[in-house]
Amino acid sequence: MKRPFILLLSVLSCVVQAQNRQETDLRTWQFSRDSVHWQPVTVPHDWAISGPFDKKWDLQCVAITQNGEQKATEKSGRSGALPWIGKGFYQTELTFETLPSHAWLAFDGAMAEPKVYVNGHFAGEWKYGYTPFRIDATRWLKKGRNLITVTLNNVEESSRWYPGAGLYRPVKLVTTGETHFDSWATFVRTERIEAGKAILKVDFQTVGPMKGRLVRGRIVDDRGNLVASFSRPAAPTGLNELTVTVKKPHCWSPETPRLYTLDLAICRERGSKVPMLVDDRQQQRFGIRTVSVSKAGFQLNGVARKFKGVCLHHDLGPLGAAVNKAALIRQIRLLKDMGCDAIRTSHNIPSTLQMEVCDSMGMMVMAESFDMWRYPKCKNGYARFFQAWSERDIENLVRCHRNHPSIIMWSIGNEIPEQGSAEGREIAHNLQAICHRLDPTRPVTQGMDRAEAALKSGFAQEMDVPGFNYRVYKYDTNITQLPAGFLLGAETASTVSSRGVYKIPARITDKATYSDGQCSSYDTEYCGWSNLPEADFLMQEDRPWTIGQFVWTGFDYLGEPTPYDEFWPSRSSYFGICDLAGIPKDRYYLYRSQWNKQAHTLHLLPHWTWNGREGMETPVFVYTDYPCAELFLNGKSLGRKCKQTYTVAPGRPNEEKRRLETRELLQRYRLMWDDVKYEPGELKVIAYDASGKAVATQQITTAGLPDHLVLEADRNSIHADGDDLCFVTVSLVDAKGTLIPTADNALSFDVSGAATFKAACNGDATSLEPFTEPRMKLFNGKLVVIVQSNRQRGDITLTVTDKSLGKHATLKLKAG
């Protein structure tokens, strides 16, 4: 019988606790924009997400050099068109009957330029809004009530995307006795795995008097089994390093995300018959796994694999920048079903909660730091602070996150303007050296967008992992100049699309814009610097020296609405494989057909409700992992098609670029019927395996009149903790259940019982409807409603009403 995990960890031989460590989430705060008028809020909190959307917020007149622009123009939605600019004030109270020996305020991030005051005394500050940092509050605390105040200041033109505003990540109070562990100094790493055992190095640091004390530790697996233990006097310097062996280790990977817990305790001897006294105790989760990169490629636990990754900005769509565990879990579930195994945290230090979710669900992570160094990409960006703060930011990134097994690589920058200079090479060398000093187990990379300049200056060769953004047609030239013998697609594709929007004809183009501010979901439109998904598929499959890619982006995000940077009311991106609501676009299934090797994919597009297009050519695409398929319209075969062989031999970059922009390339990865003449009815596809056997089918039909709403929850039960969320997809369908694919009906939402309405999102980048109001229009027949638990157990009822139809639908959920 398995022993309970918590019980086993508590059975240390030193069982009497002294003034032990306590960590308390500081969730309840008062918030103000003017320090006069206050309102209660719960942290994590993003003060700007409720809007309203308005082009005046952070209106920028700039030339986006990353996009090749030479002339400054008005960019109305570049950072989301939400009111995040300005100051914000937060206050909370702490009460102590007995003062702790030490007390820290631990911030996982605060947007931006936080200053912290304890009882009116300035206690500390940070500059970069994404960095985790700790403030020693000990000297300012008093018995009784204590006032903690945080001031924040977001300045205009300080971000190229929506950064959010406020205490958008958790804040904790950490108290200890005089003798304690420095929690960020504890580091568990796998030295090697051999002959059925793992050799671990364990570092820890003690603070305060250690005379007569020893440190005891245990390592327990995720089934509650004790796998290793040790006991030793702490080093007099406070710095400790020891080697621990774990037999028959369960190695962490995306497929098997097994975790262990290190339980450390500082104990005092009190005689053979008297239990020891615990001065401090710390628990650290970690994973056993090895990472390496070489000419043999990237290897996890000694097994070569190529990254099937996506880039993610930190906002969670309609939730804004306020981090939430349920939303992160939903993201990763969607990505893993697509076959994705890695995330790049673009272009910022990630939250601890996101890394914990990646640890437990099995998602590799490139943890990034900066979008700029000394040279500013936007007028008031991080360049203001780089000289004085960058080393501290990198140190906090690594020290805070290095125990997460999900993190397999550090990134020190993205498209840094200094990449073509000796100065830039020196900065890269120094930042990489800090990562190596604090963590010798992981390689370091960054995303470079000017390959020739970075290679000529030696900037690219400086990196453990040379990472290149876009311009995949230059890979063959790049690799000849890289002694490392491999390269990474650090940022790829930038294909643009709007869910459920189909522009006919389906042109392969990098210059398409339309009067409605949307992009085509035929997945043939991209940007001037980027390419189709197939170009990256080809290079990853045909070039053995590529080690994977990170697609821009996994989900749409607030801000940066390319190719509509100058179009109002566009205020969010089109790059996502999933839209801002988290609903998969067609492109999701193109990637799934290539990446998910555990399940088959068969996806047919576009929809088949085209009133007024009767007799007109309407292209039909099929995304599938099967080699061939046959298309039928109202029972009549339109022919069988098979994927075609196509490759691009190394050559001159301009010629390679041309060959990576052809329909012949698309035919290697998707099946296309370009000349289908539309007629209402049923469109069906039958897929065939390599032997010619019919193995799968899918059909779509022309929709009739709108009839009723369908509500589908991502799960039917949520935790009654005040944080948990349920995501409900709402669809308008006809009497037979067929989606009305162009519906934009206005809906309203009511939540009763043990939950409240949190937000709604329809995925339309041009919508100015607030996320936090219980009403919204459908976008191409769908939207998502988010329900949040309210700390009560019981039944939940969501009611969605369409007044234009005189219809409503209800969904029953539970909180427990």
Side-chain angles (χ1 to χ4, degrees), residues 38 73 93 120 125 150 196 243 245 303 307 319 330 349 371 489-490 510 723:
W38 297 85
T73 57
E93 286 190 352
E125 65 178 333
V150 181
T243 300
T245 299
V303 179
F307 296 111
L319 301 176
R330 176 177 180 248
I349 296 172
D371 185 48
D510 62 357
D723 288 322

Side-chain angles (χ1 to χ4, degrees), residues 316-320 322-334 555 579-583 710-718 723-730 756 758-761 783-789 796 798 811 813:
L316 294 169
L319 301 176
V323 69
N324 179 275
K325 184 176 181 179
L328 293 170
I329 290 173
R330 176 177 180 248
Q331 277 192 340
I332 293 179
R333 281 178 177 158
L334 284 164
F555 290 77
D579 71 14
L580 198 70
I583 301 174
V710 174
L711 311 185
E712 298 174 278
D714 66 335
R715 55 207 174 107
N716 295 319
S717 180
I718 57 177
D723 288 322
D724 207 4
L725 304 175
C726 179
F727 293 81
V728 181
T729 301
V730 181
T756 58
K758 177 66 176 178
C761 184
L783 57 73
V784 169
V785 178
I786 305 173
V787 175
Q788 183 173 36
S789 65
I796 303 165
L798 167 65
L811 180 67
L813 306 168

Side-chain angles (χ1 to χ4, degrees), residues 452-507:
E452 292 89 348
L455 289 160
K456 183 177 180 180
S457 68
F459 187 92
Q461 294 87 338
E462 185 68 40
M463 303 310 302
D464 296 336
V465 177
F468 292 92
N469 291 6
Y470 310 111
R471 299 163 184 88
V472 66
Y473 54 89
K474 296 182 180 181
Y475 281 9
D476 286 315
T477 301
N478 297 351
I479 194 64
T480 64
Q481 303 172 67
L482 292 170
F486 61 87
L487 63 79
L488 170 68
E491 188 171 316
T492 63
S494 271
T495 305
V496 290
S497 62
S498 302
R499 175 183 53 79
V501 175
Y502 303 94
K503 303 297 185 180
I504 300 173
R507 297 178 298 146

Side-chain angles (χ1 to χ4, degrees), residues 126 131-132 388-397 434:
W126 211 265
T131 304
W389 287 85
S390 59
E391 292 189 5
R392 284 179 280 182
D393 285 318
I394 285 288
E395 286 185 0
N396 280 22
L397 163 65
I434 294 172

